[in-house]
Amino acid sequence: FKQKKFLIGGIIIIFALGFLGYTSLVGASIYYYTVGELLEQGRSVYGENVRVNGKVAPGSVEKRSAGSALRFDIIDDEGGESLSVVFQGVVPDTFNVDSEVVIEGSLNSGGIFEANILMATCPSKYVPVS
């Protein structure tokens, strides 16, 4: 009888660990789009949590005052397509015009990407200050 209890308890623990592993893997595996790929998806991605990579478009960065939303456009390297982004939060120090960024959030029905995470990638070369 003790062996049966031990076996049942072990099976329950294995199922619980498997379930936790599966849910954490699914939550961490968000597909990574380019701007062009995201725009090709159309309405199917509205409201879905996705990551998008692109470059900050020159002349598009708008921040009126502290605490207000940061607005900017990102462009695709391949097709030159553009996506308008709104971000409310702490802006990374490496965020600049023409820098590469990865944003995470959702595309609304108006075509504006509402980012809740903004990651500016580090430049490949650091230039010494003269």
Side-chain angles (χ1 to χ4, degrees):
F1 185 71
K2 281 187 177 185
Q3 287 179 341
K4 214 176 203 182
K5 281 180 157 179
F6 184 72
L7 183 62
I8 292 172
I11 291 172
I12 290 172
I13 289 172
I14 289 172
F15 276 125
L17 290 174
F19 177 74
L20 290 174
Y22 173 76
T23 55
S24 65
L25 182 64
V26 168
S29 61
I30 298 174
Y31 186 73
Y32 191 95
Y33 290 103
T34 64
V35 175
E37 288 173 340
L38 180 73
L39 296 175
E40 283 176 11
Q41 298 297 315
R43 293 176 179 233
S44 67
V45 292
Y46 287 171
E48 295 291 321
N49 196 40
V50 293
R51 284 187 183 156
V52 183
N53 179 6
K55 280 192 168 185
V56 179
S60 69
V61 179
E62 244 182 71
K63 183 160 184 157
R64 294 195 176 95
S65 64
S68 69
L70 175 68
R71 297 175 185 272
F72 60 96
D73 293 341
I74 60 172
I75 53 175
D76 201 349
D77 283 338
E78 291 108 30
E81 297 190 66
S82 157
L83 177 66
S84 294
V85 179
V86 174
F87 173 71
Q88 182 99 30
V90 178
V91 179
D93 292 338
T94 54
F95 177 84
N96 290 313
V97 172
D98 209 33
S99 66
E100 194 168 326
V101 295
V102 176
I103 53 175
E104 186 176 324
S106 60
L107 185 64
N108 68 24
S109 59
I112 307 292
F113 193 89
E114 297 171 348
N116 49 33
I117 296 176
L118 170 63
M119 297 174 280
T121 59
C122 295
S124 58
K125 295 181 189 175
Y126 285 99
V127 179
V129 178
S130 311

